[in-house]
Amino acid sequence: NNPAPGGGPVGALRGVCPAGWHVATDCEYQYLEHTLGMTVAEQQAIGTRTSGDVGAALKADGDSGFDMPLSGARRYNTEFING
């Protein structure tokens, strides 16, 4: 429940993480993405990111060890897609 480095909206979240943990900031995700091979230009793109194998590496059973569970996505028209 630690605030995000530098404050911001993520720092306002409370009670969503175990003690000593925090919700990752976009900067932290970008560091992880860059470590797996995503370019800065890809990180700064607006809309759908075409990151090659980085997304596949992060998902559950990917080869990064991160194992992020997929939960869906929201389209520009606010339609929700189950993932």
Side-chain angles (χ1 to χ4, degrees):
N1 296 357
N2 300 330
V10 174
L13 295 174
R14 298 282 183 249
V16 297
C17 299
W21 291 71
H22 68 273
V23 175
T25 65
D26 189 44
C27 182
E28 290 169 322
Y29 273 111
Q30 287 181 7
Y31 182 82
L32 177 61
E33 291 166 335
H34 185 75
T35 300
L36 294 171
M38 186 182 285
T39 67
V40 172
E42 289 171 329
Q43 292 173 331
Q44 294 174 345
I46 297 174
T48 303
R49 291 180 177 175
T50 53
S51 60
D53 297 330
V54 174
L58 291 171
K59 71 179 186 177
D61 297 324
D63 60 5
S64 70
F66 188 71
D67 290 339
M68 181 184 335
L70 301 177
S71 61
R74 186 169 298 277
R75 294 181 188 241
Y76 294 110
N77 67 358
T78 70
E79 175 186 2
F80 187 75
I81 306 164
N82 245 346

